[in-house]
Amino acid sequence: MNHLPVLPVLVPLVIGALLLLLERRHRTSVLRTWAWIGMLALLAVNVALLVQVQREDMLVYLLGDWPARLGITLVADRLSAMMVLTTTLLAIPCLLYACAGWDKRALHFHALFQMQLAGLNGAFLTGDLFNLFVFFEVMLIASYGLLLSGARGARIKAGMHYVVFNIAASVVFLLALGLLYGMLGTLNMTEMAARIAVAPPERTMLIHAGAGLLLLVFCAKAALLPLYLWLPEAYARAPAAVAALFTVMTKVGLYAILRVYTLMFGDAAGPLANIAWDWLLPAGAATVVLAALGVIGAPRLRIGVAYLVLLSAGTLFVAFSLGNAGAISAGLYYLAHSVFVSAALFLLADIIQRHRGSNGDYLLPIASMPNKTLPAALFLIAAVSIAGLPPLSGFIGKLQLLNSVPEAQIGWIWTVILGSSLMTIIGLSRTGTRLFWRVDPAPETTPGPPLRRAEIAATVLLLGYGVAMTLFAGPVLRYTDATAAQLLDVDTYIQVLRDTAPLIREPAR
């Protein structure tokens, strides 16, 4: 148990390295077997981590037993444990879908898939800003390979835009780290929080500039308006299993904002207290409106789903920017819900595209799609959930968020959230009508391809997560309530780290 916090990073790294060695001499079946061994081991580790965090609140791990200010520090609290488990639960159906046949066409797929999981888990667990950058890069480099492997035509173009945008964001990230390190002398987030609180006035402006650059990077990763242009086309062109896994990547940026700007720039940060939230709230609301319009106007199903990912990011910006425990708790519940349902829609869009032949997933009234009953039923469940209609998890998450809005802001925030939900319902109704109902009456001439059991099982599993979150909403919300309270209790967070390891030095005056 002492080494539990490092295992969510170590397990996929080891399995990924092993798969790179095996893929030269062994068949796909061997690679799949080891990939599933790694996935089941990772699931067991992350469930154990969640249980242990509930018992002890926080686990601190110093790699190599180096002091935190010199080495890599991993911190597992309720928030990070929830995020790594959510990532693993998402990865299982993504891997199942890919193993239906797509993994044979992608160079190094299984190794890259494991490496991306290592990067994602590391980003959620690290307690150091520089290592957050490192894990960001591990995650992004793996995503470049997954997105561009076997790519042609439009996917090459969208993939290159994705790569260039993220490289530019990474450069800004390094500039921000250099500036903050020059001002504070450390990049350990807990130690930075202690030093920012007592920073001399002559350094405040430059720390503020570093914090602004850092916020720009995280907002770019999370696709906040106007930094969202890379997302719709890249996600819409990615292979289905990859696009489904990518739904959690925008949440890494949101997680980083929530972690950094509550811990380092929270209420105790003096002149730099709460510097992000005042403008992130309207920006998040604008993102919600824009994304809802994108859902209505999408010419293809997968473009519409990409805008739904953008809409969920905007909703989470609104929830987290409100800053109270109730809104953050609702946002964390909604985060897990939106990841699972958006991923299910990406998988479902690929199934529909293949069954409609040359018409793909374009929203055109054509001859009736063969074998459409099951895809239509799955689309209905996903649409009801993602639009926030009762009784599924999307409704519960949005209801909790609306109940947490301060009275002074109820009018316009309720209008944005409920108005975007109405626009989403309109857009998804239009999509479902054109795909399954309003079709050319010409008879079908050839039967469609058979539905692959593994692909249907992966989609059903993702939707099943949402159903489970509805049935067990009470325990899940109690966990997110405790997570929000722990996140906002910055003094206790710092004290636990100080008691666990000789972490905090006296700030340089």
Side-chain angles (χ1 to χ4, degrees):
M1 287 299 178
N2 291 336
H3 299 284
L4 198 55
V6 76
L7 292 181
V9 180
L10 189 61
V11 168
L13 277 178
V14 171
I15 295 296
L18 177 63
L19 288 167
L20 277 175
L21 295 175
L22 292 176
E23 67 183 19
R24 293 180 177 272
R25 297 185 178 182
H26 294 274
R27 296 181 179 180
T28 305
S29 59
V30 175
L31 301 181
R32 290 174 178 173
T33 299
W34 278 103
W36 279 110
I37 290 172
M39 189 59 65
L40 294 176
L42 185 60
L43 177 62
V45 164
N46 288 336
V47 170
L49 182 64
L50 188 77
V51 172
Q52 193 71 9
V53 163
Q54 286 183 289
R55 292 175 181 170
E56 301 186 24
D57 283 337
M58 193 180 302
L59 304 174
V60 181
Y61 191 86
L62 304 177
L63 270 74
D65 205 26
W66 285 92
R69 59 184 175 272
L70 299 177
I72 298 173
T73 305
L74 300 180
V75 182
D77 62 356
R78 287 177 174 269
L79 178 58
S80 54
M82 172 189 166
M83 295 304 298
V84 295
L85 181 59
T86 299
T87 301
T88 303
L89 291 175
L90 172 66
I92 290 172
C94 293
L95 181 59
L96 178 60
Y97 194 94
C99 287
W102 185 81
D103 59 335
K104 294 180 180 179
R105 304 193 297 270
L107 185 65
H108 309 308
F109 168 78
H110 288 288
L112 290 171
F113 191 89
Q114 296 294 326
M115 294 300 177
Q116 183 160 14
L117 292 180
L120 286 165
N121 291 340
F124 293 135
L125 288 166
T126 185
D128 183 280
L129 271 184
F130 181 76
N131 293 305
L132 178 63
F133 168 79
V134 172
F135 285 121
F136 262 52
E137 292 310 297
V138 172
M139 170 188 72
L140 288 171
I141 290 170
S143 74
Y144 301 155
L146 290 172
L147 178 59
L148 293 172
S149 181
R152 293 178 296 179
R155 180 144 67 97
I156 286 285
K157 180 180 178 181
M160 292 307 297
H161 288 169
Y162 171 80
V163 171
V164 170
F165 182 88
N166 280 285
I167 289 175
S170 297
V171 172
V172 177
F173 199 167
L174 277 178
L175 292 175
L177 293 180
L179 183 56
L180 289 172
Y181 184 78
M183 292 296 101
L184 300 172
T186 181
L187 288 176
N188 181 278
M189 288 190 278
T190 309
E191 195 166 357
M192 290 175 77
R195 295 189 177 200
I196 288 170
V198 295
E202 61 269 18
R203 295 188 180 184
T204 300
M205 187 64 69
L206 287 176
I207 296 173
H208 196 167
L213 289 175
L214 207 59
L215 188 62
L216 177 67
V217 173
F218 295 154
C219 289
K221 305 292 186 184
L224 182 70
L225 182 76
L227 302 171
Y228 75 96
L229 295 176
W230 59 272
L231 187 148
E233 194 65 20
Y235 279 36
R237 297 292 179 183
V242 175
L245 184 62
F246 279 11
T247 57
V248 78
M249 287 182 62
T250 54
K251 309 308 184 286
V252 179
L254 281 154
Y255 167 86
I257 291 173
L258 188 60
R259 173 70 73 192
V260 169
Y261 290 88
T262 53
L263 175 60
M264 292 167 47
F265 300 99
D267 293 334
L272 299 174
N274 303 313
I275 59 175
W277 307 120
D278 287 343
W279 75 271
L280 284 182
L281 181 59
T287 304
V288 168
V289 174
L290 173 73
L293 292 172
V295 174
I296 291 177
R300 297 172 51 212
L301 175 56
R302 293 189 65 173
I303 290 288
V305 179
Y307 274 105
L308 287 172
V309 173
L310 185 61
L311 190 149
S312 70
T315 303
L316 290 170
F317 270 110
V318 171
F320 296 157
S321 296
L322 291 174
N324 63 69
I328 293 174
S329 173
L332 293 175
Y333 181 93
Y334 183 83
L335 184 153
H337 142 81
S338 64
V339 163
F340 297 144
V341 180
S342 299
L345 281 168
F346 274 122
L347 301 187
L348 192 57
D350 186 63
I351 295 171
I352 293 170
Q353 178 178 349
R354 190 168 58 250
H355 279 70
R356 296 179 87 221
S358 61
N359 294 283
D361 63 340
Y362 283 91
L363 304 183
L364 302 171
I366 60 167
S368 180
M369 185 180 76
N371 304 324
K372 70 178 181 180
T373 303
L374 183 55
L378 295 176
F379 178 83
L380 176 62
I381 295 170
V384 168
S385 184
I386 201 72
L389 293 174
L392 295 179
S393 52
F395 171 75
I396 296 173
K398 287 190 176 181
L399 180 63
Q400 291 294 112
L401 173 57
L402 293 175
N403 286 336
S404 303
V405 177
E407 186 174 350
Q409 298 171 305
I410 282 180
W412 74 272
I413 292 181
W414 277 45
T415 300
V416 168
I417 299 298
L418 295 178
S420 66
S421 297
L422 177 60
M423 288 191 285
T424 302
I425 293 169
I426 294 171
L428 291 174
S429 299
R430 164 181 171 268
T431 299
T433 298
R434 294 196 174 188
L435 290 175
F436 303 110
W437 184 15
R438 188 182 298 169
V439 296
D440 192 314
E444 300 170 9
T445 56
T446 57
L451 295 172
R452 298 172 182 170
R453 292 182 180 179
E455 294 178 349
I456 294 297
T459 308
V460 170
L461 180 57
L462 283 166
L463 294 177
Y465 291 156
V467 174
M469 289 184 66
T470 304
L471 296 176
F472 299 99
V476 175
L477 285 170
R478 284 195 292 273
Y479 184 89
T480 59
D481 286 343
T483 302
Q486 184 185 54
L487 183 71
L488 294 175
D489 190 3
V490 174
D491 292 339
T492 300
Y493 186 95
I494 295 175
Q495 187 60 47
V496 168
L497 284 158
R498 181 183 286 123
D499 293 342
T500 304
L503 180 70
I504 306 297
R505 295 180 297 176
E506 285 299 316
R509 297 285 180 174

